């Protein structure tokens, strides 16, 4: 029986965090486990380069009777390749760790990867049980790309992915068996050496590599904290406080009450609340400037004649011209004439052979 159809008793879940994001990870863990079904065991893996011992102690206290929490350092694995990753703003090297999961954990054929800046309201097992046997990932549409034209244009004109198909990589159901079979990690490193995707980096690479092998999830499983036309809050299963919509930096963020509900149940609450109150106007302006720079970056990449999409078009045109030129070589044209002539004779004989035989026979 397939791993995708049999009853699942253990659900493997992965997060990646550094010290800075650990408090929000704690909120994500508390919310996830508070809403988890007692029918399953939730095996949680936290990938990191390094987490302070005190932070690890607090995170491990969040485990429940039907869950385990394991903190795994990838410092040794990442040391010799860390300079190959492009980072900016709030990005840390941990954001790329989702690419390593299939190969580092071959015991799993399917896993959940979740960003730290989320709050889970539904039972995550319902997401995990989604059948993705024919897909690399299941994910929800990236709402930021759909709502901001400049980013929508970037997706289509720089990455060659339709906006409606571009997914957010913060909530991923990964078919790690297919990842290994298709050598996705190796393709990622090859692509990273050829193209520097700057706008959403790891998310861009995943969208290009997984193109046409993505199962769409209802955005209720990855809802950004802004109004979405036609969205029913009854479908709200998981909130993703991405980009500048962070309740620990701003007041009045949509769905902030859910974040604070679970934050109060962690040992990080005072620290997080202090961060909100201490967030300065200068930091708010920095967030705005960063978002505007992101738009400029998107426009630059759209207009780059050597961006991914343009490079793919050039490569296809080059191959097409090469084949056409090859076909015009005198020797090749001669072979084509012979083949065409022989083909014509064969077709003529095939359709007229029996009639000729009858004619010949009557003359005899």
């Amino acid at each position: 029986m397939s791993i995708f159809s049999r009853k699942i008793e253990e659900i493997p879940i992965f997060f990646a965090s550094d010290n800075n994001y650990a408090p929000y990870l704690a909120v994500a863990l508390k919310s996830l486990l508070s809403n988890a079904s007692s029918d399953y065991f939730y095996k949680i893996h936290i990938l990191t380069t390094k987490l302070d011992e005190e932070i690890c102690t607090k995170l491990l206290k969040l485990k429940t009777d039907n869950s385990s929490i394991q903190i795994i350092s990838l410092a040794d694995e990442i040391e010799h390749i860390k300079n190959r990753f492009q980072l900016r703003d709030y990005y840390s090297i941990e954001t790329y760790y989702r690419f390593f999961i299939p190969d580092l954990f071959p015991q799993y054929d399917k896993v959940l990867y979740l960003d730290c800046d989320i709050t889970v309201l539904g039972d995550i097992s319902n997401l995990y049980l989604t059948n993705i046997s024919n897909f690399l990932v299941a994910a929800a549409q990236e709402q930021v790309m759909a709502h901001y034209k400049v980013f929508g244009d970037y997706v289509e004109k720089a990455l060659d992915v339709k906006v409606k198909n571009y997914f957010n990589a913060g909530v991923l159901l990964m078919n790690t068996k297919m990842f290994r079979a298709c050598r996705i990690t190796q393709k990622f490193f090859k692509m990273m050496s050829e193209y520097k995707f700057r706008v959403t980096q790891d998310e861009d690479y995943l969208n290009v590599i997984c193109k046409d092998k993505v199962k769409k999830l209802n955005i209720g499983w990855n809802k950004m904290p802004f109004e979405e036309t036609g969205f029913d809050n009854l479908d709200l299963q998981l909130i993703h406080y991405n980009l500048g919509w962070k309740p620990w930096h701003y007041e009045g963020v949509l769905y902030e009450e859910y974040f604070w509900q679970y934050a109060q149940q962690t040992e990080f609450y005072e620290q997080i609340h202090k961060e909100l109150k201490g967030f300065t106007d200068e930091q708010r302006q920095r967030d705005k400037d960063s978002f505007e720079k992101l738009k400029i970056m998107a426009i630059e990449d759209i207009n780059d004649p050597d961006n991914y999409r343009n490079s793919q078009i050039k490569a296809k045109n080059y191959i097409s011209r090469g084949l056409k030129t090859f076909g015009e070589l005198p020797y090749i044209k001669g072979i084509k004439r012979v083949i065409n002539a022989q083909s014509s004779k064969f077709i003529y004989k095939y359709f007229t052979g029996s009639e000729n035989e009858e004619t010949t026979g009557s003359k005899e």
Side-chain angles (χ1 to χ4, degrees), residues 13-18 21-22 25-26 29 43-51 55-56 58-60 62 68-74 94 97 105 113-114 116:
I13 303 170
F14 286 81
F15 291 89
S17 181
D18 57 8
Y21 260 74
L25 168 59
L29 289 172
K43 193 165 185 179
I44 297 168
H45 310 73
I46 300 172
L47 306 180
T48 186
T49 305
K50 186 182 187 313
L51 281 175
I55 289 175
C56 292
K58 291 179 179 179
L59 291 173
L60 293 173
L62 292 168
S68 64
I69 299 176
Q70 184 180 13
I71 299 171
I72 303 166
S73 173
L74 299 184
E94 281 81 7
Y97 282 177
F105 300 88
Y113 173 84
L114 304 173
C116 298

Side-chain angles (χ1 to χ4, degrees), residues 331-345:
Y331 178 72
I332 299 300
K333 290 176 75 173
I335 293 175
K336 285 169 66 178
R337 283 195 297 270
V338 171
I339 292 173
N340 289 336
Q342 293 300 321
S343 297
S344 297
K345 290 179 181 179

Side-chain angles (χ1 to χ4, degrees), residues 27-85:
V27 180
L29 289 172
K30 185 64 183 179
S31 64
L32 186 155
L33 294 173
S34 296
N35 293 289
S37 168
S38 59
D39 294 336
Y40 304 102
F41 187 85
Y42 300 81
K43 193 165 185 179
I44 297 168
H45 310 73
I46 300 172
L47 306 180
T48 186
T49 305
K50 186 182 187 313
L51 281 175
D52 291 345
E53 185 176 346
E54 180 184 358
I55 289 175
C56 292
T57 300
K58 291 179 179 179
L59 291 173
L60 293 173
K61 285 181 183 179
L62 292 168
K63 85 177 186 62
T64 58
D65 291 340
N66 66 326
S67 70
S68 64
I69 299 176
Q70 184 180 13
I71 299 171
I72 303 166
S73 173
L74 299 184
D76 292 340
E77 287 81 358
I78 206 70
E79 179 61 31
H80 65 291
I81 57 173
K82 62 183 180 181
N83 293 329
R84 297 172 64 180
F85 298 97

Side-chain angles (χ1 to χ4, degrees), residues 111-124:
V111 307
L112 274 170
Y113 173 84
L114 304 173
D115 275 354
C116 298
D117 52 351
I118 64 168
T119 298
V120 183
L121 304 183
D123 175 13
I124 206 72

Side-chain angles (χ1 to χ4, degrees), residues 48 56 63-64 89 93 105 161 213 216 228 243 257 264 273-274 276-277 284 305 317 324:
T48 186
C56 292
K63 85 177 186 62
T64 58
D89 299 337
I93 200 165
F105 300 88
V161 177
K213 284 291 183 180
K216 290 184 180 180
E228 183 78 33
L243 292 178
E257 67 273 18
Q264 290 175 346
H273 191 260
K274 184 178 179 180
L276 170 64
K277 296 304 180 184
R284 293 186 180 90
N317 290 340
K324 185 176 180 181

